[in-house]
Structures are given as structure tokens and as C-alpha cells.
Amino acid sequence: MKRAVLLLATLLAGAAHAAPIAITNATVMTGAGATLDHATIVVDGGRIRSVGSGAAPPGATIIDAGGKTVTPGLVVGMSDLGIDEIGGVREANDTEARKSPFSASLDVVPALNGRDGGIAVARAGGVTRAVVGPSASRDIFAGQGALIALRDGPDVLVRGRAFQFVELGENGAEAAGGSRTASFALFRNALDEAQRFAARKGRGGGGDDGAHENIYQRADTVALVAVVNGTQPLVVHVERASDILSVLALKADFPKLHLILFGAREGWTVADRIAAAHVPVITSAIDDLPDAFETLASTKSNVGRLVAAGVLVGIGTSGGESTNQPRNVTQFVGNLVAQGRMPGGVGVTRDQALSLITRNPAEIFGMTDTGTIAPGQRADLVMWDGDPFELTSAPVAVMIDGVSQPITSRQTQLRDRYLRLQHDTLPLAYRP
Amino acid sequence: MRRLIPLALLAVAACATTPPVKTASGKPSTPAEIVSIPADPFPSTYRAYPGVTTVIRGATVYDGAGHKFAPGMVRLENGKVAEIGENVAVPAGATVIDAGGKFVTPGIIDIHSHLGDYPSPQVQAVSDGNEATRPNTADVWAEHSIWPQDAGFTRALAGGVTTFHILPGSANLFGGRGVTVKNVLGRTAQDMKFPGAKPSLKMACGENPKRVYGSKGQSPATRMGNIAVDRQVWSDAVVYKRKWDDYTKKAKAGTAKPTDAPRRELANDTLMGVLNGDILVQNHCYRADEMANVIAMSKEFGYHVSAFHHAVESYKIADLLKAENICSAMWADWWGFKLESYDGIRENIAFVHNAGACAIVHSDDANGIQRLNQEAAKAMAAGRRAGIVVPPEVVWTWLSLNPAKGLGIDKATGSLEPGKMADVVLWNGDPLSVYSRPERVWIDGALMYDAADPERRPKTDFELGQPGAGDVK
């Protein structure tokens, strides 16, 4: 088994340009709802050419998975990967711009750091793609997020300006002036300004209107044009059921809005309404405390009930340390499987659990060639040493776009350095 | 105080009791002549709820002290663990639970919680965990902030937590007293207090105190400031103790009047309790080098650190911690949220255990406390990958017996040894699997949680009438 892994790591370097690779004898969880035993995955040119019981093509490099489970690379539906090396160190944290005059126009792309230590740690946990969102501070709009691939090296950007992020729950109320009346008024006004700007520009007026009193900076208004005309998704953080309904109601006045709900901890209480509106949800899976007045109905059954109602759900990370580590999304969804085994609890199946952290978030953010093991899909693959959701399991190989990736980090180096504490002839600092 | 634990545990503060004593002349003096500091002014009013004699059979049993019986049996009787082994007596009339394929463990003990002090919902009105007004607030007691209606207690119970220690926050060098509670909801905090458990003194190293006070233009603003303020406080506490010892000696000899008694200083009461061994030090400290400074300081002033908490870098000095007999309370994998947690590794717990030091999995978190078994499993697996194989039944010591040691309650609970409190969890599967959850939880032999019985799933007052109240969380 170990040899197969080494072989995989060795042979796949630069595989995107090499001969096809056939991973044989794999237990393939496709991310699209199926598990295939003794399957072969053929990778060619960074894409999956085939998956199934077929034989390896002639000339392919063969990797025997030895029955190990292979899943799509994990896709985390919200994170601060690449913009938050250390949360508590101002200089190493670009998640929010508390003193900036700008809001909606803020863009995480120039802040992205492919060498952020969190990326290597997440990749070692099987995360291959992530949604990166800024955090709001002085305004309801946090700015524009990006999609990244957790490949080794500085170049992680897949797509910038992938969405706008807005706070319309308790955080938004605070930022807007102390009440939800203010946050919704501010939001509507911002979109009105963007609409007027776009209309004037459409009439050849250049978009500027010196006479009217804009609240938002010109750059913010420009950024919001894509939101109001629906070409850029709008991720809306709300938790309370009434807030969710208020957000869904915005479609009446702004019909082109491409809404994605973030949080939605009380979503299960209005799951049918969310499903009927065809609005997807990114949430954090296992929160079950009434830790805010907007989350009184929290339960680990939220995701299961949303899924059962037909809502497209993906898992993202947020909140405190116990729920915000991207590498732990397998644990989170494993807990949702466990929830389904509790009397009265509603959970998900193992296949559904995998979709929550692969296909679904990819689909929600328009990465339609990512997140499943199927012909034509990007060859983002993870081979596990056990059940991918189990606490004792870990990836033994990670591939992004057909290229093998390192699964080491500062943490593995610290581990190796301190495995033995005995002083040798030199201090520990001389160890690798 | 109810006799739920051996008498030895109930023996508290020598300085703080007022037994009749013999004077030098041999004539008994009356207690009224000696002023003393009350040992327990906010006594526990906890009472165990009724239980029935219960035998669990067919399960895999981890006793929490490192042993496994597979399959094994456990009998709970009169609130205690009566018998454990491959075969135990089944008295007539006992409730017998066939638990084939399931697991039995001692209840989880979380040595680091802020439930009740930072309750849900997290609003300013009930945010009572940090008296961040002075670097030394050894005078405050976390139990006086506990809101008994925190829904977090119920979620922790559903996660198999039967005992936990509620600490003040870490804004201050001396945060105040912590309290050990049983996870049985009461109308008051005193209703939850673990009978006979010693209080703790919460101390903090590192970034938090220096940030909180430095930003106010006040000392400490640096790590050297942290230690300097710490040492002055301890030095003053030594003087305080000297005064009380001197007064008490004279009073016992009949040469001091009650009016000679020193003025009580509440912060120094706590610090003197530490110096007298009646209060345990629980020390928030991430970095290895700072732990070493604290150890040296503790020797200078004559106290012992019971456990370092959030000890992200314990793996760097696991040998020292072993030598000093200090526990490390750790997360499985939290890291990087501040610079002093930047070197967190998943092997930390296993490395500490492997060095022979006392390893504890702790939460510091209302979410994390619900899944401490899962955190232990991650730590176990990381250790195994690094070549350190710790069997599951030994891993469970990180969750029960070791935290009990760190809290000084290991004679009463923390393992399924006969005579100990019947604090027991029946899991619906392997408790180190992500797919498993507690099915039933007993505390002092009383069934306090049953996943299948809504009447055995508590709801706090706050939750009543709220959406989702009574839901399976």
C-alpha cells in the first residue's frame, strides 16, 4: 500500500503533461452520489477521462490503490484560506478592512497568498479547492471573494470577483447603524445606486451623477452593478428564519439577484421556502447552540432537513476554532451522518455527506467541472488511508488538475523536529 | 455536605477551618476567639438524583484508567460504580441493558470550560467571563458568573460530559477562581458544584494579559511585564500568608485578640489558598518557554501548577512537564489563530503522553466540549502516524482520569473503579468514531440523558418556547 502511494507521488509530478494514469482497484466515492468498488480512474491531461470497471488504457501508468478510497478533492464552500495566516496578528490577517473607506469594491485577489500556511495544512487534509471570502467590518458589504485551488506554490487563484458578500443579520444590523431596518435600507439603497449608475452609463452618461447624493463610494457602486444585474452571485449571511425570508423577498424588487445564503442556521424551519426559491445554502454543519438571538433554532439536523427539502447545500467554515478549520470538513459531515442515526435526528447519507464538501459547493459557485469523479472533470483527487470521514483517517495522496501535491507543512516539520527531545551534539534548532 | 465522595477529598483548607484547638496552657479555647477565613462560603447544594441498580452487559468497556473489557460488564448501584469486569453480579431486580456492539466509558471531564460564564446567547448581557479591569483579579470567582440556564450544559451532556471545570477568562494574569461542577442542571450554580472539589486559580501567560493591559497603557504590556507583575503579586501573597499564619499561631496560643486578625483581602485569600495547597493553579500558557518561566516562578514562591491549559507547545518540553508532574490540557488541532498558537501540531497530545507526562484533551469551547471524544481520536491517529501507538482504552485517560487528576477529583470520579461516582456514558458505537454518539449518560448513577427519551433530554429555561426547543440537537 505504501509503495503504491510513493509511486503515485513520484509518478504524478508533472502528470498533466505526461502519459495517462490509471488508478486501479480503488473504492471510488464519486461525489455525485455513488460509490464504486474495484474501480479504475483514468486521468489524462489534468482531467478525468473515465471512471468505472473498464481496463486501464494501453500505455497508461498504473497505480494500484489497493482498495483504498478515492474521493474528489474536497471543496470548502467558505474559508479565509490565503488571506489569514494568523487571525490574531494584524499584519498577517487580510480578512477585513476595518479602516478602509471602501466596502463592496474590496477584492481578496491581491491579498491572496498561495504560501499561506493554512493552505498547506488544509491540502494535507484533502482540501483542493476553496471559496475565499472577506469579512465585513464597518459596512454590510464585505467585498468580493475568490475561488482558489490549493496547489503548491504562489499561484492559487482560479477565479476572482467570484461573488459579493453581504451581512444582513445581526452583524449587518450593527454595521448599518444598529437595526435590521437600517441594514435592509442600506442594502436597497446601495443596489438602487448601482442600478442608477448602470442605467446612466447605458445612456452614455458615463455613470456619474454629480447631482445626487450617493452614500457609497463610486468604486463600491461600480462593484455592485454585477450584483444587481445578477452576473455576480451575492452571498448573504443571515441565520434567523425571518431574515432568510426577508432576503428571499428582495427578489421581488431585484429579480436578477443571484442569491446564495450563508449560515442559515434556522434554515430548516423555512426549508420549503428556500427550496422553492431555488436558493442554495452554504453553512457550517454542526453548530447546535442558540449562541445568538438569530440562531435560537440551531440544530445539527439543519443540513439534513435542508437537503431533504431539496435545498442545494454546501459546507463552509466560519466561527470559532472548533468549526473553522477547512481540514476538518470531513469530520463535520461525518457528524451529520451520525446525526441521522440519532432518534429524531435528521442527517445525511455518506454519499450525500461527500457531496456537501465536493460537488455541491463547486456547483453553487459555478465550478461545474469540479467536485465529482466523472469523465471530463478536473482531476482533483484524494486517496485516503481509511474512511474519509473517520477521525483516524488522512489523505495519503492529493492531486490537483492531475498534478500530485505535497501533503507536508510547517506542522509536519515541527512534528519531525520534536519527535525526539534528547539533545544531541547540537540544539534542536539544527535539526531539519 | 453530602457524602458523595470519600472523606479525604472533603478535607479542605487547614487555615480555613475553626476546630477547637488546645492553647499553650492546655485549656481548650473556643472557636470564637480565633478569626479565620471561611473555607466554603458558597457550599455545594448538589444532590445526586435517584438511580436504579443498573447492569450494562455485552459492551466494550473502557474503564478510563487504561483498561478494556471486551465484552465487559458494569454494575451501577447506589450512585456508585459497584463492579466492573468481564462478568459482574446481576442482582435481582436490576435494570439490565444489553449493549452488544456498544461502548461504555466514564463520563468525559472537561478541565477547561466557560459554559455559564460565556453562555449562549453570546450577548453582552450575559458575557461574564473576564473581569478585565485589573491584571490581578484573584478575588473574583467564576461560579458567581454562572448562568444556570446556559443551553451549552445540555449540549455538553449529549456529548457525554459529566463533569467540567468552569474558569474565568484569560484577560488577566490572575483571572480568579474556577469551579468544578457536575453536569446536572440546577436552579443555582451552587446546585451544580462538585461536592468537595477544590477551587482553582486561573492564571494566564502570554499575549492576552499583555495585550489587554498594554492597550490601556498599563502594566503588563510585555511578557517580561507579565512575569514581573506575577512575581510582585505572589510576593505580596507570601506576606499576607505570613500575617495570617502569625496571627493564627498567636491566637491559638491565646496571645492574639480577634481584633488583631489581619484585614481580609479577597484576592490574597485565593493566592494564600494556593500557597497552602487548597487551591489548584490552572495556568493558561501556550508557549513552551513561558511554561518554563512559570515553573521557575512557582518554585520561587512555593506553589505547584496543576495543569497548563491551551498548552499548544507542550510537545517541545514534554520531558520537563513529566519531571515537574504538571498536566497539559490541550486541543487536538487548534492552531494559528494567534502567534502563540502558530506551532500547534496534531501530535502534541500523543507526544506529551509518550513522554510519560499527563495529557488532557480540553475544549475551552461550547462547541468543542460536545465532541471531546472526537478530538481525542484525531490526536490518537496523529500519534499513530508518527509511530506512537496509544490504544483506545488508554486514550480515554486523556478524557477522564487525567482531567480528574488535574482537578484533584480523581479519587471520586474519572474512571469506572468500584466505589467511584457512577458517571458513565453508553455510546451507540465506538466512541473514537465520528459516527458514534452517547446514547445514555448517568451521573452519580442517575440516568440524566437518554437519546431515545425526550423526557431524559433537558431543556434550559432559556430554550423553552424558542423554535426548536426539545429538538434532537
mmCIF file of all heavy atoms in Angstrom, chain A residues 4-5 56 69 73 113 157 213-214 227 265-267 271 291 297 314 389 406 411:
data_model
loop_
_atom_site.group_PDB
_atom_site.id
_atom_site.type_symbol
_atom_site.label_atom_id
_atom_site.label_comp_id
_atom_site.label_asym_id
_atom_site.label_seq_id
_atom_site.Cartn_x
_atom_site.Cartn_y
_atom_site.Cartn_z
ATOM 1 N N ALA A 4 2.430 1.850 -3.286
ATOM 2 C CA ALA A 4 1.519 2.439 -4.270
ATOM 3 C C ALA A 4 1.460 3.949 -4.098
ATOM 4 O O ALA A 4 1.436 4.706 -5.051
ATOM 5 C CB ALA A 4 0.130 1.838 -4.120
ATOM 6 N N VAL A 5 1.472 4.359 -2.834
ATOM 7 C CA VAL A 5 1.391 5.792 -2.560
ATOM 8 C C VAL A 5 2.635 6.507 -3.047
ATOM 9 O O VAL A 5 2.567 7.542 -3.702
ATOM 10 C CB VAL A 5 1.199 6.010 -1.047
ATOM 11 C CG1 VAL A 5 1.301 7.483 -0.736
ATOM 12 C CG2 VAL A 5 -0.139 5.452 -0.617
ATOM 13 N N ALA A 56 -7.445 -0.362 -17.756
ATOM 14 C CA ALA A 56 -6.565 0.789 -17.989
ATOM 15 C C ALA A 56 -6.213 0.839 -19.465
ATOM 16 O O ALA A 56 -6.028 -0.193 -20.098
ATOM 17 C CB ALA A 56 -5.315 0.639 -17.145
ATOM 18 N N THR A 69 -9.867 4.163 -0.573
ATOM 19 C CA THR A 69 -10.924 5.053 -1.034
ATOM 20 C C THR A 69 -10.322 6.263 -1.740
ATOM 21 O O THR A 69 -9.372 6.881 -1.244
ATOM 22 C CB THR A 69 -11.782 5.519 0.152
ATOM 23 O OG1 THR A 69 -12.423 4.372 0.725
ATOM 24 C CG2 THR A 69 -12.841 6.517 -0.283
ATOM 25 N N GLY A 73 -11.276 15.782 -4.775
ATOM 26 C CA GLY A 73 -10.676 16.733 -3.851
ATOM 27 C C GLY A 73 -11.776 17.495 -3.147
ATOM 28 O O GLY A 73 -12.833 17.781 -3.711
ATOM 29 N N ASN A 113 -2.468 34.854 -0.774
ATOM 30 C CA ASN A 113 -1.093 34.382 -0.626
ATOM 31 C C ASN A 113 -1.088 32.865 -0.717
ATOM 32 O O ASN A 113 -1.518 32.173 0.214
ATOM 33 C CB ASN A 113 -0.525 34.847 0.721
ATOM 34 C CG ASN A 113 0.849 34.271 0.996
ATOM 35 O OD1 ASN A 113 1.527 33.816 0.074
ATOM 36 N ND2 ASN A 113 1.263 34.291 2.245
ATOM 37 N N LEU A 157 -4.984 31.247 -7.495
ATOM 38 C CA LEU A 157 -6.256 31.831 -7.947
ATOM 39 C C LEU A 157 -6.878 31.027 -9.087
ATOM 40 O O LEU A 157 -6.215 30.684 -10.057
ATOM 41 C CB LEU A 157 -6.018 33.272 -8.415
ATOM 42 C CG LEU A 157 -7.273 34.016 -8.889
ATOM 43 C CD1 LEU A 157 -8.256 34.221 -7.746
ATOM 44 C CD2 LEU A 157 -6.887 35.355 -9.515
ATOM 45 N N GLU A 213 -27.056 62.352 -4.229
ATOM 46 C CA GLU A 213 -26.205 62.117 -3.067
ATOM 47 C C GLU A 213 -26.011 60.623 -2.876
ATOM 48 O O GLU A 213 -26.850 59.939 -2.331
ATOM 49 C CB GLU A 213 -26.867 62.724 -1.826
ATOM 50 C CG GLU A 213 -27.059 64.219 -1.947
ATOM 51 C CD GLU A 213 -28.218 64.738 -1.107
ATOM 52 O OE1 GLU A 213 -28.705 63.991 -0.247
ATOM 53 O OE2 GLU A 213 -28.624 65.878 -1.340
ATOM 54 N N ASN A 214 -24.899 60.142 -3.347
ATOM 55 C CA ASN A 214 -24.591 58.737 -3.149
ATOM 56 C C ASN A 214 -24.035 58.512 -1.763
ATOM 57 O O ASN A 214 -23.236 59.311 -1.267
ATOM 58 C CB ASN A 214 -23.552 58.273 -4.181
ATOM 59 C CG ASN A 214 -24.201 57.961 -5.511
ATOM 60 O OD1 ASN A 214 -25.413 57.780 -5.597
ATOM 61 N ND2 ASN A 214 -23.392 57.917 -6.546
ATOM 62 N N VAL A 227 -23.760 42.703 -9.154
ATOM 63 C CA VAL A 227 -24.681 42.032 -8.223
ATOM 64 C C VAL A 227 -26.124 42.295 -8.641
ATOM 65 O O VAL A 227 -26.945 41.381 -8.737
ATOM 66 C CB VAL A 227 -24.440 42.530 -6.778
ATOM 67 C CG1 VAL A 227 -25.549 42.046 -5.845
ATOM 68 C CG2 VAL A 227 -23.069 42.056 -6.282
ATOM 69 N N ARG A 265 -28.703 29.077 9.864
ATOM 70 C CA ARG A 265 -28.813 28.037 10.909
ATOM 71 C C ARG A 265 -30.270 27.728 11.241
ATOM 72 O O ARG A 265 -30.573 26.648 11.729
ATOM 73 C CB ARG A 265 -28.051 28.493 12.168
ATOM 74 C CG ARG A 265 -26.565 28.731 11.927
ATOM 75 C CD ARG A 265 -25.683 27.769 12.676
ATOM 76 N NE ARG A 265 -25.916 27.823 14.102
ATOM 77 C CZ ARG A 265 -25.225 28.588 14.959
ATOM 78 N NH1 ARG A 265 -24.260 29.366 14.522
ATOM 79 N NH2 ARG A 265 -25.477 28.539 16.244
ATOM 80 N N GLU A 266 -31.148 28.690 11.029
ATOM 81 C CA GLU A 266 -32.577 28.401 11.229
ATOM 82 C C GLU A 266 -33.258 28.030 9.920
ATOM 83 O O GLU A 266 -34.483 27.983 9.838
ATOM 84 C CB GLU A 266 -33.285 29.603 11.877
ATOM 85 C CG GLU A 266 -32.798 29.871 13.288
ATOM 86 C CD GLU A 266 -33.697 30.829 14.069
ATOM 87 O OE1 GLU A 266 -34.562 31.509 13.450
ATOM 88 O OE2 GLU A 266 -33.542 30.898 15.289
ATOM 89 N N GLY A 267 -32.448 27.740 8.922
ATOM 90 C CA GLY A 267 -32.993 27.445 7.598
ATOM 91 C C GLY A 267 -33.997 26.304 7.591
ATOM 92 O O GLY A 267 -34.971 26.328 6.843
ATOM 93 N N ALA A 271 -37.357 25.559 5.315
ATOM 94 C CA ALA A 271 -36.624 24.850 4.258
ATOM 95 C C ALA A 271 -37.399 24.820 2.946
ATOM 96 O O ALA A 271 -36.824 24.965 1.862
ATOM 97 C CB ALA A 271 -36.297 23.426 4.720
ATOM 98 N N ASP A 291 -26.438 30.313 20.140
ATOM 99 C CA ASP A 291 -25.353 31.188 20.567
ATOM 100 C C ASP A 291 -25.559 32.642 20.155
ATOM 101 O O ASP A 291 -24.715 33.489 20.405
ATOM 102 C CB ASP A 291 -23.993 30.656 20.085
ATOM 103 C CG ASP A 291 -23.990 30.330 18.605
ATOM 104 O OD1 ASP A 291 -24.955 30.712 17.908
ATOM 105 O OD2 ASP A 291 -23.032 29.687 18.143
ATOM 106 N N ALA A 297 -32.810 28.433 16.857
ATOM 107 C CA ALA A 297 -33.300 27.113 16.426
ATOM 108 C C ALA A 297 -32.178 26.195 15.953
ATOM 109 O O ALA A 297 -32.427 25.175 15.325
ATOM 110 C CB ALA A 297 -34.340 27.276 15.325
ATOM 111 N N GLY A 314 -23.974 23.283 0.625
ATOM 112 C CA GLY A 314 -22.538 23.024 0.692
ATOM 113 C C GLY A 314 -22.024 23.447 2.057
ATOM 114 O O GLY A 314 -22.632 24.277 2.726
ATOM 115 N N PHE A 389 -14.321 10.072 6.197
ATOM 116 C CA PHE A 389 -14.961 10.882 7.240
ATOM 117 C C PHE A 389 -14.448 10.546 8.632
ATOM 118 O O PHE A 389 -14.714 11.263 9.579
ATOM 119 C CB PHE A 389 -16.478 10.678 7.220
ATOM 120 C CG PHE A 389 -17.074 10.895 5.871
ATOM 121 C CD1 PHE A 389 -17.790 9.893 5.246
ATOM 122 C CD2 PHE A 389 -16.900 12.101 5.209
ATOM 123 C CE1 PHE A 389 -18.333 10.091 3.990
ATOM 124 C CE2 PHE A 389 -17.429 12.308 3.949
ATOM 125 C CZ PHE A 389 -18.150 11.300 3.328
ATOM 126 N N PRO A 406 2.170 18.110 -2.568
ATOM 127 C CA PRO A 406 2.767 17.740 -1.283
ATOM 128 C C PRO A 406 1.706 17.727 -0.182
ATOM 129 O O PRO A 406 0.740 18.511 -0.238
ATOM 130 C CB PRO A 406 3.794 18.850 -1.031
ATOM 131 C CG PRO A 406 3.342 20.000 -1.867
ATOM 132 C CD PRO A 406 2.614 19.427 -3.049
ATOM 133 N N GLN A 411 3.749 22.151 10.074
ATOM 134 C CA GLN A 411 3.356 21.294 11.195
ATOM 135 C C GLN A 411 4.046 19.933 11.134
ATOM 136 O O GLN A 411 4.461 19.403 12.160
ATOM 137 C CB GLN A 411 1.840 21.114 11.219
ATOM 138 C CG GLN A 411 1.135 22.446 11.436
ATOM 139 C CD GLN A 411 -0.353 22.304 11.669
ATOM 140 O OE1 GLN A 411 -0.887 21.205 11.712
ATOM 141 N NE2 GLN A 411 -1.037 23.429 11.805
#
